Amino acid sequence: MSNAPDVTERDADPLDLALAAAWPVAMFVGVVTTVIGVLVMAWPDGTLTVLSVLFGIQLLLFGLFRLISAFTSDSPAPGLVGFIGVIGMMAGIVVIRNPFETVAVLATVLGLVWVVGGSIELISSIADSSIRDRGLVAVGAGLSIVAGIVVLARPGPTVTVIAIVAGIYLVVFGLMICYAAFRIRRLET
């Protein structure tokens, strides 16, 4: 005999009942998330290339939209809007033609951001005595600088490692969603 209270539909929260009825959707999202995570881990370079191509397509469509809106809207600066559209389309074509190099460029930018941001934090932690936990801030800044240098030295492999970590995250997150779907399914019965 269970000590858990007997909850009937009449006693249950309407939100809980709505969630319970939607458990198949949560399960679907969990399974799809898990599968995507496995695919990212199995083919990290291919996944990055696909994402880069999708980004290129988005830039191309953004540019086309801007170019069309330069001629069809009452924009105060149609020449500038059209120019932005052309630049966006050109950037999209470059990204689509060179997807892996685009990923490496984005990794290089990330590395620069980490080095510059870490340097600023390190200098602040040394110069400003009012910062709480200055030592911890300095250690974090140092880690940011080192991580940025690693990314700058080898942007391609670093991005692959980031993709693998993202794949692991997606698998864990997807399994958690599946678990939650089973838990909310019990509310239905």
Side-chain angles (χ1 to χ4, degrees), residues 89-141:
M89 290 173 64
M90 289 175 18
I93 291 168
V94 168
V95 170
I96 291 169
R97 287 184 51 103
N98 306 298
F100 196 73
E101 289 81 3
T102 301
V103 171
V105 168
L106 292 175
T108 302
V109 170
L110 176 67
L112 285 171
V113 168
W114 284 351
V115 168
V116 171
S119 299
I120 291 169
E121 287 292 318
L122 183 61
I123 292 167
S124 295
S125 70
I126 293 169
D128 189 355
S129 61
S130 67
I131 294 177
R132 274 187 70 164
D133 299 321
R134 288 171 58 192
L136 192 57
V137 172
V139 168

Side-chain angles (χ1 to χ4, degrees), residues 27 33 48 53 56 76 83 94 99 101 106 115 122 141 155 164 170 182:
M27 180 61 72
T33 302
L48 292 170
V53 169
F83 177 72
V94 168
E101 289 81 3
L106 292 175
V115 168
L122 183 61
I164 292 169
L170 288 170
F182 280 123

